[in-house]
Amino acid sequence: MSQVHVSTHPLVQHKLALLRDKETGPKKFRELIREVAILLTYEATADLELEPTSVVTPMGEAEGARLTEKIGLVPILRAGLGMVEGIWEMMPQAEVWHIGLYRDERTLRPVEYYNRLPVSPTVDVCLILDPMLATGGSAVATVNILKRWGANKIKFVGIIAAPEGVEALTTAHPDVPIYIAAVDDHLNEIGYIVPGLGDAGDRQFGTG
Ligand code: PRP
Ligand code: URA
């Protein structure tokens, strides 16, 4: 389980309870997805590589550091979209590569419908963004896509996971760390996380 990082940050846990609340409407829900994504990404990026630099302040020279790795944000459509903007503000130079997947309602298997990755990788670190890790099928499929592309440093940033999803992703890709706000109790018979928060796409986009 060392690759599974469940945030214990009080702000994350406070906002997670508000996200779960069925009385939280789409506007507030989107704000919370954005804020929790920023907080979890702060934890997920603690090992980004730096190189020394120096800058001139109004008072003289200062030693500093700058990021050396190119970062790619990889939201899984639709629900991952809400996690992009806030993270992007913190690292405006990041590239954003969308992956379109939906779960077949009957089989719960992911169906790919959008992927415009160029032939060769253009980033050093990929952060997959999707609030829900349920069966894990969508996350595993996205890591498969990114590895075929040639990405070799991949992290998954989610919000709520089911134990089944954590097991599926860590088994298929033990090299991919998972950053999450909670690992819930179980999946129900139609593949929803219990207690979870319901349908993350519908609650963001008002389509439920
Ligand atoms: C949801 C969610 C994940 C996926 C998780 O998307 O955003 O992508 O389900 O389930 P899994 O771990 O079992 O694959 P959904 O397929 O409902 O599509 P949407 O975001 O477009 O509504
Ligand atoms: N997708 C969601 O949006 N919610 C779940 O509980 C499972 C998959």
Side-chain angles (χ1 to χ4, degrees), residues 79 103 132-134 187 191-194 196-202:
R103 288 200 310 180
M132 308 307 276
L133 181 63
L187 281 182
Y192 275 77
I193 301 173
V194 182
L197 51 70
D199 189 304
D202 283 346

Side-chain angles (χ1 to χ4, degrees), residues 16 19 33 36-37 40 83 130-132 157-161 179-182:
L16 177 63
L19 256 183
I33 290 276
V36 174
L40 292 174
M83 298 176 72
D130 190 332
M132 308 307 276
V157 184
I159 294 181
I160 300 180
Y179 293 84
I180 203 96

Side-chain angles (χ1 to χ4, degrees), residues 70 72 95 97 117-126 145-154:
K70 290 186 74 176
E95 297 179 10
W97 293 103
L117 290 169
V119 175
S120 313
T122 54
V123 295
D124 303 307
V125 185
C126 290
I145 290 168
L146 293 176
K147 285 189 173 175
R148 277 200 300 274
W149 188 40
N152 48 32
K153 195 166 170 186
I154 301 170

Side-chain angles (χ1 to χ4, degrees), residues 76-79 101-103 130 132-138 199 201:
I76 303 179
L77 304 177
R78 292 176 301 165
L101 297 175
Y102 70 87
R103 288 200 310 180
D130 190 332
M132 308 307 276
L133 181 63
T135 65
S138 304
D199 189 304

Side-chain angles (χ1 to χ4, degrees), residues 7-21 24 28 32 35-36 39 181:
S7 179
T8 56
H9 197 293
L11 284 176
V12 171
Q13 294 306 318
H14 176 86
K15 290 174 189 296
L16 177 63
L18 296 172
L19 256 183
R20 290 186 189 276
D21 189 338
T24 298
K28 185 70 186 164
L32 290 163
E35 292 165 356
V36 174
L39 292 167

Side-chain angles (χ1 to χ4, degrees), residues 90-150:
M90 289 195 300
M91 29 178 133
Q93 67 281 61
E95 297 179 10
V96 180
W97 293 103
H98 302 87
I99 297 294
L101 297 175
Y102 70 87
R103 288 200 310 180
D104 179 287
E105 280 178 14
R106 197 175 47 82
T107 65
L108 297 183
R109 296 301 304 153
V111 180
E112 184 177 332
Y113 64 89
Y114 185 83
N115 173 357
R116 298 279 292 161
L117 290 169
V119 175
S120 313
T122 54
V123 295
D124 303 307
V125 185
C126 290
L127 300 180
I128 299 175
L129 308 177
D130 190 332
M132 308 307 276
L133 181 63
T135 65
S138 304
V140 170
T142 302
V143 177
N144 289 341
I145 290 168
L146 293 176
K147 285 189 173 175
R148 277 200 300 274
W149 188 40

